[in-house]
Amino acid sequence: MTADLTEAAIAILRANDRGGYTVPTSSGLYPAQWNWDSCLVALGFATFDEDRAWAEIETLFGGQWPDGMLPHILFHGDDSSYFPNTAIWQAGPGGRTSGITQPPVAATVVRQLFERFGVERSRPHVRALAPKLLAWHRWFYSARDPEGTGLAAIIHPWESGMDNSPVWDAALAAVEPGPSVAHLRKDTGFADAAVRPTSAEYDRYINLVLTFRAAGYRADRLYGIAPFRVADIGFNAILQRANRDLRFLLDVIDDRAGTAEVDRMIARTRAALEGCWDEADGFYYSRDTRTGEVIRKPGIGGLLPLYADPAAAERHPALVARLERWLEQVEVAVPSFEPGRPDFEPRRYWRGPVWLVVNWMILDGLRRAGRRDLAARIRRDSIGVVARSGFREYFDPITGEGLGGTDFSWTAAMVLLLAGLED
Ligand code: GLC
């Protein structure tokens, strides 16, 4: 069974390979290179094609902006089947990128490649990539945390990677919808509208893009004018894990000034993440930094401090207990929002469905924290649901039904990665 699955996963990555970069799915839903998809896909390539794994990351960094920002989408070819495409974004050098970013998993992935392939073969890649990674992380602390809070703000739900999570509802509702774009959407031609974000959300997503475009995507202006601005706990946990991995990489190339700089980032963010812990609720929450309000909604991002720092599990046993309670309520681990809540929608995108990339993060954190039992459940469920329902974009945690795009690259990559682990 696993051998067949592994072969099928490799075939999907090969089929979605456009030469140096991989589309998230060949189904037409996402005809470009996505930032965190690409990084996580590199972990899948790493299990069978070392050069291709490095190429994925190196192509992505080819789209880095001069100010250090790494865009969430790089458009390489025909983008006419996607909305919003380059004609709307009009962003980046050559007008071939989006104008916002995505969760910074790149440094973590580069470290994983380094550890898999060894110092001799990896050092030249690390030498080339580490300064670029440092520039991106520096950008988070200047452009997205000008007040020095230790948490980088996201200014668009798409930056979280968890587009329509209930965690953004109130902050997004405060954004002007702008003109309706329902008739321009292409996604609903590829996937059932009932499992996608709503048109009310899309109108706001696009209005945010147009606001940033009107400001010339200038990093020094966007933080101040953004009508949506959230310190996302999940995003910052991913950043903190990446900070630690970047520090490791800078050490490999003996960049002393770089390691000292990243040490300061780590210290600031460590304190700030702990500030997001809510002792009464036993959960980590995001904060709306425009209103100052804590967003008391238990989205899966609140579990990601486990991935940032293995000591979090020991410091907050209530968090692991909470995860265990989530898992008691579902067939397939891990739902993207707390089951049983009124906002929980098991089939709608980031409002409940299971995403294997986040499963990998939680599983990785649990293994490092010594909770291999729980990690084993997540691993078993992740591989099992693909065996049953195919390499879909996401899955209903209650029924295990596959949803969204088909033959999905990062789902295939995670199967390859997880199949290679021992419980
Ligand atoms: C959706 C997901 C995002 C992903 C992208 C491409 O927008 O929410 O996380 O990167 O699709 O797969």
Side-chain angles (χ1 to χ4, degrees), residues 36 102-104 150-163 165 167-168 228-239 269 273 276 284-289 295 299-305:
W36 75 326
Q102 250 191 340
L151 299 175
I154 58 167
I155 58 172
H156 195 299
W158 287 341
E159 292 197 312
S160 72
M162 305 184 183
D163 308 6
S165 166
V167 178
W168 322 133
F228 174 97
R229 205 179 63 207
V230 172
D232 168 16
I233 181 65
F235 191 95
N236 281 280
I238 289 170
L239 175 61
T269 299
L273 286 175
C276 298
Y284 283 97
Y285 289 129
S286 300
R287 182 184 293 270
D288 182 326
T289 67
I295 307 173
I300 198 167
L303 297 174
L304 290 180

Side-chain angles (χ1 to χ4, degrees), residues 23-25 29-30 32-38 40 72-73 82 102-103 157-164 196-197 202 349-350 355 357 393-394 408-410:
V23 289
T25 165
L29 184 59
Y30 305 115
Q33 182 176 21
W34 261 258
N35 181 327
W36 75 326
D37 294 63
S38 252
L40 296 161
H72 102 292
I73 305 176
Y82 185 72
Q102 250 191 340
W158 287 341
E159 292 197 312
S160 72
M162 305 184 183
D163 308 6
N164 68 337
R196 298 281 309 170
Y202 252 83
Y349 217 40
W350 289 96
W355 295 73
V357 286
E393 186 176 6
Y394 45 95
F408 228 78
S409 298
W410 69 8

